[in-house]
Amino acid sequence: MKIPTSVVTKHITKYWFRRRTVKAKGVRKGYIWAAAAATLKLVLYFYEDGSRRQEVLFDFLKTYKGTVQSDAYAPYRKLETDQYHNITRIACLQHVKRKFLEQDKDPDARKIVEMINQLYQKEHEHRTSYQGWTIKDNLAHRKQYAPPILRKIKKKLLSLQTKPDLLPKSQMAEAINYTLSQWKAIEDIFTKGEYYLCLLYTSDAADDLIG
């Protein structure tokens, strides 16, 4: 399938659902994929017998040139390799934040959440296409507010990563590694004025579909 650039410039994710099978009696988990262009208010769903295999995604994107926003599911990370040089993957900030929200009793995790929230707070000071605020204005705003906050977040993460009491397989270590391993994809969110900070647009659209 050939995908126009305007159809999937923003978000790609997947949602599971229960499906009845013909060959095997009963109900099995299946997946439907969603690609959304938030600025155009379009969502395109694609499906291949409920499969979440990476080949479904790669076949869908084989002719695509542009930007994909996603979580850090392993197949999405392959979009960052030279094999997909026509695609730029940017991260979903909400998925990053969620990793630390799950540890709400940890003061370090709460501090990271607080710093991520600063990005959202600064972003919400203005809204594109409202009261004359343009994409160009938004990019200039991002270039001003984002770098210092991102530097603080990264510095905090690197500091936590070297703590002697951090267990390699702990929830905190997983959250730190999840974030740092896609740091460029996080920074790239702020390189364009039209990019969204997270995948919430796609999630809202899927909720409307699934009910």
Side-chain angles (χ1 to χ4, degrees):
M1 179 188 299
K2 185 175 181 180
I3 310 166
T5 300
S6 60
V7 172
V8 53
T9 52
K10 295 298 176 289
H11 318 300
I12 290 188
T13 189
K14 59 190 181 309
Y15 303 94
W16 73 272
F17 60 94
R18 293 184 176 89
R19 65 189 182 98
R20 294 192 177 278
T21 59
V22 177
K23 294 182 180 179
K25 295 181 180 180
V27 178
R28 288 186 178 181
K29 180 184 284 189
Y31 289 85
I32 186 168
W33 300 72
T39 53
L40 298 177
K41 301 187 183 302
L42 294 176
V43 181
L44 177 63
Y45 296 96
F46 54 108
Y47 172 84
E48 189 175 306
D49 196 31
S51 174
R52 62 177 293 189
R53 291 181 303 110
Q54 63 182 21
E55 288 79 12
V56 179
L57 172 69
F58 297 148
D59 182 61
F60 180 75
L61 292 174
K62 63 185 177 183
T63 61
Y64 176 66
K65 297 180 181 180
T67 303
V68 166
Q69 185 168 31
S70 72
D71 60 35
Y73 177 51
Y76 298 145
R77 299 299 303 273
K78 291 185 179 181
L79 299 176
E80 300 173 35
T81 65
D82 292 340
Q83 184 178 355
Y84 296 93
H85 60 276
N86 289 322
I87 293 177
T88 298
R89 189 191 85 85
I90 60 176
C92 170
L93 206 56
Q94 191 65 22
H95 276 82
V96 172
K97 179 180 170 181
R98 189 178 303 159
K99 292 288 185 180
F100 297 96
L101 281 172
E102 292 169 353
Q103 307 169 70
D104 60 337
K105 294 182 180 180
D106 187 313
D108 288 322
R110 290 201 300 269
K111 181 61 178 177
I112 296 297
V113 170
E114 180 184 312
M115 289 191 286
I116 292 174
N117 282 341
Q118 290 174 14
L119 293 169
Y120 280 97
Q121 289 161 6
K122 296 299 292 185
E123 185 70 16
H124 293 162
E125 287 180 358
H126 303 281
R127 191 171 68 187
T128 303
S129 300
Y130 184 73
Q131 294 184 339
W133 190 257
T134 66
I135 288 175
K136 185 177 179 180
D137 293 330
N138 205 46
L139 178 57
H141 179 51
R142 286 179 169 183
K143 285 182 175 180
Q144 183 176 33
Y145 83 74
I149 299 175
L150 289 171
R151 282 195 295 268
K152 289 178 183 178
I153 294 172
K154 187 175 184 180
K155 182 179 179 180
K156 179 67 174 178
L157 291 171
L158 291 172
S159 174
L160 293 174
Q161 198 175 43
T162 59
K163 288 181 66 173
D165 59 344
L166 181 69
L167 299 176
K169 294 186 179 180
S170 66
Q171 206 173 4
M172 177 60 82
E174 179 187 343
I176 293 170
N177 293 334
Y178 178 90
T179 307
L180 290 176
S181 68
Q182 54 172 341
W183 191 254
K184 184 180 183 303
I186 292 172
E187 290 182 319
D188 283 348
I189 295 172
F190 303 92
T191 60
K192 295 287 184 68
E194 67 268 30
Y195 290 162
Y196 279 64
L197 269 57
C198 59
L199 290 162
L200 290 181
Y201 175 83
T202 315
S203 300
D204 291 344
D207 289 343
D208 291 341
L209 175 74
I210 296 170

